[in-house]
Amino acid sequence: MKEDPDRFLPLAPATLHILLALAGEDLHGYGIMQEVSPQTEGRYRLGPGTLYDNLQRLMNQGLVEEAHRPRNPESRRRYYRLSAVGRGVLRAEIARLEGVVREARLHLGTARPRRAT
């Protein structure tokens, strides 16, 4: 049975940014936090508590999985990757957000100024 990505939508900001960070490459937790800052032009910061709580939830949902990368035996870093389901959910969220932006532009372009009363 194929997973319905719409059941995960809309995504919370932290979830969206984590999935976006992992869309390009496998990353460890600190790498995800570093990726979010330029992604949002510094407007959104992802703290460790938020990151790791969300990563655990996303792994439980099957959207993110642990990446098996050769590691330095002394390193405790765990790497994460976007699963196929996670990639589908991210695509669905991007499509949903594009629709929101399209509607917003339509409404802003056709909005009439209010009369002072």
Side-chain angles (χ1 to χ4, degrees), residues 20-87:
L20 282 171
L22 293 172
E25 63 180 312
D26 300 350
L27 294 169
H28 52 77
Y30 185 66
I32 294 170
M33 288 191 294
Q34 286 181 310
E35 182 64 27
V36 169
S37 185
Q39 208 179 73
T40 64
E41 298 176 345
R43 292 187 196 119
Y44 189 81
R45 293 200 183 270
L46 195 58
T50 300
L51 171 68
Y52 289 106
D53 286 348
N54 276 279
L55 278 172
Q56 187 60 56
R57 181 179 49 75
L58 292 168
M59 288 176 68
N60 292 341
Q61 293 173 326
L63 304 182
V64 169
E65 55 197 22
E66 190 167 351
H68 299 287
R69 296 183 112 198
R71 294 192 259 181
N72 176 342
E74 296 174 13
S75 174
R76 294 179 17 192
R77 287 186 172 168
R78 293 173 62 186
Y79 282 78
Y80 303 91
R81 78 166 43 115
L82 202 54
S83 70
V85 173
R87 197 166 294 281

Side-chain angles (χ1 to χ4, degrees), residues 11-24:
L11 296 179
T15 301
L16 173 62
H17 291 298
I18 291 167
L19 296 182
L20 282 171
L22 293 172

